[in-house]
Amino acid sequence: MKLERVELFLVRLPLKRAYETSGARETHMTRVLCRVESEGAVGWGESVAGEVPWYSGETPRTVLYALEEFILPELFKADLSAPQDVDEKLAWIREHRMAKATVEMAVWDLFAKRAGKPLSVLLGGTRDRILCGVAIGIQPSIEALMDTIRRELEGGYQRVKLKIKPGLEVEIAEATRRTFPDLAFMLDANSAYTLRDAPLFKRIDPTRPMMIEQPLAHDDLVDHAALQREIKTPICLDESIHSGEDARKAIAIGATRIVNIKAGRVGGLASAKRVHDVCAAHDVPVWCGGMLEMGIGRAHNVHLAALPNFRLPGDVSASARYFGTEIIAEPFTVDEDGTMRVPTKPGIGVTVLEDLIRKLALEHKELRPS
Ligand code: MG
């Protein structure tokens, strides 16, 4: 199969609520949407690069650049016999994982549609429902945070994840445990701390969070292993894991007991599956992270989270939380038991609102093999 035409759309949508982490306060999401076409079939992907390079070095502008300059020219040359071929063809291009994932995921959707199968089945998924949690950004006060947790729990979520930043971590953990004695909650630091902060995490241990996500530097494994030796709360790595090899090394030195998988962060679905498989082989549970995706990215996440080792509730939540404008027709909803149904139609299994995307696009590029 040869890619005949690729279109890239730059779309910016306001979030219903601003989202604050230790790294940034975000009010809008700008995403590169990718439409691939071959032999009458179409596939869609969505980049997760942020407007500013706080989570990773990639932004929508670098995604467009890498796709146009290196990634798409390489793929236009290729004859693809399976979606995994994309990952292989692009292996020589270093970094630019979110850019690679944007088109790689679109090609998976295209292959699944050609096969008439849901993407989850093509990936090896075994679940028809995924486990849902919700991520809550930093709130203006502890009271506001408790109110927000209460409101989100009414939505049925199985666990809440709370963003923390220096000066607020112990207070957030203690107030949450005091207010919700049985709540499954976890904390996400987005790399805001150093090993010198180990005493803070020891103080958090008695509040029994399910895990602490990426407490230390975004590129570190060694200090995380040292911290894990000092604290009881399991460490979960996010930013530090870019590949199956990273996961293997992190597990080997005891830097992580749980892994957050985001296909965009690791270069696409083939790589995400490798991370999943490495973790499964070491009995390390994984869950599906979120990057405040629009509908196409959300759909991809739901299919990925159908793989068997996604044993913990992830950050894939109901569509209604995020944007006033939707780019797919069917909203993702969470049932009372805190699960979400995996679409059963071919590919990502949702109706992409293509006319709307064309109307919303701030930029549109069309590329074909030369
Ligand atoms: Mg995280």
Side-chain angles (χ1 to χ4, degrees), residues 304-316:
L304 175 62
L307 289 170
N309 195 36
F310 282 84
R311 285 183 271 159
L312 296 169
D315 282 347
V316 184

Side-chain angles (χ1 to χ4, degrees), residues 293-309:
E293 284 85 355
M294 297 176 186
I296 295 169
R298 188 164 308 279
H300 276 281
N301 284 344
V302 174
H303 286 275
L304 175 62
L307 289 170
N309 195 36

Side-chain angles (χ1 to χ4, degrees), residues 54-55 161 163 186 188-190 213-214 237-239 260 262 265 287 289-291 315:
W54 77 269
Y55 174 88
K161 166 167 130 177
K163 293 286 184 176
M186 56 174 286
D188 185 6
N190 289 108
E213 184 180 348
Q214 196 72 37
L237 289 181
D238 172 0
E239 282 92 331
N260 165 345
K262 294 172 180 164
R265 189 192 72 224
W287 52 274
M291 297 288 280
D315 282 347

Side-chain angles (χ1 to χ4, degrees), residues 159-162 164 184-189 204 208-215 228 231-237 256-260 285-287 312-313:
R159 70 105 171 96
V160 298
K161 166 167 130 177
L162 311 174
I164 56 170
F185 77 94
M186 56 174 286
L187 305 168
D188 185 6
I204 287 174
R208 295 174 287 110
M210 300 167 75
M211 69 195 85
I212 166 95
E213 184 180 348
Q214 196 72 37
Q228 185 67 87
I231 64 173
K232 288 198 193 74
T233 307
I235 289 176
C236 168
L237 289 181
T256 198
R257 291 185 186 164
I258 298 165
V259 172
N260 165 345
V286 305
W287 52 274
L312 296 169

Side-chain angles (χ1 to χ4, degrees), residues 10 15 28 59 79-80 88 90 117 250 280 286 296 317 331:
L10 189 73
L15 287 165
H28 291 69
T59 66
D79 192 0
L80 305 170
E88 211 171 286
L90 300 179
K117 290 180 182 163
V286 305
I296 295 169
S317 316

